Amino acid sequence: MTLTLALAACGGGDPTTVGNGARESLNAIDINVAATEAQGDIDTYAANALENQPTSVPTPAPVPAPSPAANPPAPGEPGGLPDDRTPVSEAPFTPESAQGAANVVQTYYALLEQGKYREAWQLWSEGGKASGMSAEAFAAAFGKYKDYHANIGAPGRVDAGAGQRYVEVPVQVYGTLKDGEQPFNRRGSVTLHRTAEIPGATAEDKSWHIVKSDVAPRP
């Protein structure tokens, strides 16, 4: 905005000729009135500029909270595995030991996490049939998960009797379903079986295999 004021020159104050020659005195211009009008125009311009500015700062998008499934309870906490503080031996374990059974469970869930369902299915007894599902149904049951993980607890004592061996391994499975990406978090156990050193037992018979799991999905 440009504001123009006609001011008289200093000195004798000769009149200025305006328009058709009529003579007016420069003293007739009221400087105070012109300045007041100019200030009013400036104030109006500033008010309009403020009205056109955004009234609020955009709120940043909220950061999504981590999924409960991504952070399962620690051992000893409610919903977590038992807090077994018994020192674990670093000595090599034999495949026939309870730790050997736990190692089979770790392998089983590692295969599931990688989507290798047939290989995981074959770790069940009777060539996978003890799962109660065919290899195809087993794969379909686990295929509904977007991601699938497990925490493995310390194995229990080996239950020996009549040439048969059983051991139970606590587990906690967690992850998310593909349908709506709903998280899940379940605790349970996996029971494994093997045949002892008896006549006629094959190497396959004497290896640990899963015979039961209360956290296994159903077809």
Side-chain angles (χ1 to χ4, degrees):
M1 177 181 293
T2 302
L3 302 177
T4 304
L5 299 179
L7 303 179
C10 298
D14 291 335
T16 299
T17 302
V18 181
N20 59 5
R23 301 171 64 85
E24 295 181 356
S25 171
L26 290 176
N27 293 332
I29 299 175
D30 191 331
I31 299 301
N32 292 331
V33 172
T36 300
E37 292 177 353
Q39 185 62 49
D41 290 338
I42 293 172
D43 292 342
T44 301
Y45 176 81
N48 291 336
L50 290 174
E51 289 178 0
N52 293 329
Q53 290 182 351
T55 57
S56 61
V57 178
T59 303
V63 178
S67 167
N71 298 288
E77 294 182 355
L81 292 173
D83 188 5
D84 187 352
R85 298 180 181 274
T86 303
V88 177
S89 173
E90 296 182 1
F93 58 85
T94 63
E96 297 80 15
S97 66
Q99 187 57 45
N103 191 55
V104 171
V105 176
Q106 290 176 334
T107 301
Y108 173 72
Y109 283 107
L111 291 171
L112 291 176
E113 184 172 331
Q114 297 168 29
K116 299 179 179 179
Y117 303 128
R118 176 172 286 274
E119 294 177 46
W121 176 74
Q122 291 174 336
L123 291 178
W124 282 78
S125 186
E126 301 176 34
K129 295 179 181 179
S131 67
M133 293 178 277
S134 65
E136 293 73 20
F138 185 88
F142 281 100
K144 64 185 178 182
Y145 297 103
K146 180 181 178 181
D147 56 88
Y148 195 93
H149 312 284
N151 291 331
I152 313 300
R157 293 178 177 273
V158 175
D159 182 12
Q164 306 300 314
R165 304 290 185 265
Y166 293 89
V167 66
E168 191 173 276
V169 180
V171 297
Q172 179 178 33
V173 296
Y174 61 97
T176 52
L177 292 162
K178 289 180 180 177
D179 185 11
E181 298 191 1
Q182 292 297 317
F184 69 92
N185 192 327
R186 299 173 59 197
R187 281 184 54 195
S189 62
V190 175
T191 303
L192 299 95
H193 164 266
R194 74 175 186 86
T195 302
E197 296 287 345
I198 59 176
T202 66
E204 183 72 8
D205 295 333
K206 292 183 286 186
S207 299
W208 290 111
H209 288 86
I210 301 170
V211 293
K212 184 175 67 174
S213 174
D214 54 10
V215 291
R218 298 176 181 176

